[in-house]
Amino acid sequence: MHSSSVVETVRSLVRISSGEWLGLLAELVKNGELKQEQIEPYQNLNIAGLVGSIDNDMIGTDATIGCYSSLTRICQSVDFIDATAYSRSRAFVVEVMGRHCGWLALMAGVSTGADFVFLPEKPPAKGWETEMCAIIAKHRGMGKRKTIVIVAEGATDRGLTPITAEFVKNVLSNKMGLDTRITTLGHDPRVEAEARWLAFRMA
């Protein structure tokens, strides 16, 4: 969901909640559970919204709740793949979440030493296949036995053609002759203790 959509959703909830709030106060007075003077200081309902987005795509914040947990899970998954990729000299295409924001893919790529990363924010030009293969061939020529390519689920080229993990796999298999597998992490990355503690502190 885009940031603008999130803001509009929150505004709608605030309008609904504010209307219900006054009705609830009036009902408490009517039922004799509270007196009118008791509810006077509480006519306005204040709502604080906390963004829980593993994509870390909310402006004005350093980290959204859950983003670092998800990044940790992705890095752990790539670390587990590493052993198999290295021992069998395989290539792995890892698809991670990020329809409109490539923060997870970028940070995971840097953290795990991936050979190539595809991001929604930086679509490659026509002929990216040749560039990717050249970089991977260079790494292989330097003695690297494994290949890791990370693809954000919303990645496209500059013509808005989707770049899928399956397409990247076929490029690596057909053009470079690499034994290539796909790992789709999808919604596996979830919120760990640190993010839950951050949400608790902000509540």
Side-chain angles (χ1 to χ4, degrees), residues 60-127:
T61 181
D62 292 328
T64 54
I65 297 168
C67 69
Y68 287 121
S69 295
S70 299
L71 177 59
T72 299
R73 288 289 187 89
I74 292 170
C75 290
Q76 287 174 343
S77 298
V78 174
D79 288 344
F80 294 149
I81 290 169
D82 251 15
T84 301
Y86 183 84
S87 65
R88 300 182 181 274
S89 194
R90 282 180 180 159
F92 275 84
V93 181
V94 182
E95 182 182 290
V96 301
M97 294 181 70
R99 281 176 295 175
H100 306 291
C101 178
W103 185 85
L104 281 174
L106 176 62
M107 297 299 287
V110 173
S111 301
T112 61
D115 296 271
F116 211 83
V117 178
F118 291 96
L119 309 173
E121 298 94 330
K122 193 172 177 59
K126 185 178 180 180

Side-chain angles (χ1 to χ4, degrees), residues 116-200:
F116 211 83
V117 178
F118 291 96
L119 309 173
E121 298 94 330
K122 193 172 177 59
K126 185 178 180 180
W128 59 263
E129 299 94 333
T130 302
E131 180 189 3
M132 179 185 70
C133 290
I135 290 172
I136 291 172
K138 179 181 177 182
H139 293 171
R140 290 272 175 166
M142 295 168 66
K144 194 173 184 181
R145 287 178 50 83
K146 61 184 176 64
T147 298
I148 302 292
V149 176
I150 296 181
V151 183
E153 61 178 330
T156 66
D157 63 18
R158 293 183 188 176
L160 299 182
T161 302
I163 297 175
T164 64
E166 183 67 30
F167 188 83
V168 175
K169 171 188 176 291
N170 291 335
V171 171
L172 295 176
S173 298
N174 299 333
K175 287 197 171 186
M176 299 193 68
L178 296 176
D179 182 5
T180 309
R181 307 298 170 90
I182 295 174
T183 297
T184 303
L185 297 181
H187 290 74
D188 290 337
R190 285 296 115 193
V191 179
E192 295 177 350
E194 184 178 357
R196 295 180 190 186
W197 175 239
L198 175 61
F200 172 75

Side-chain angles (χ1 to χ4, degrees), residues 3 51 56-64 202:
S3 297
V51 179
N56 199 23
D57 55 356
M58 189 66 184
I59 190 171
T61 181
D62 292 328
T64 54
M202 297 178 67

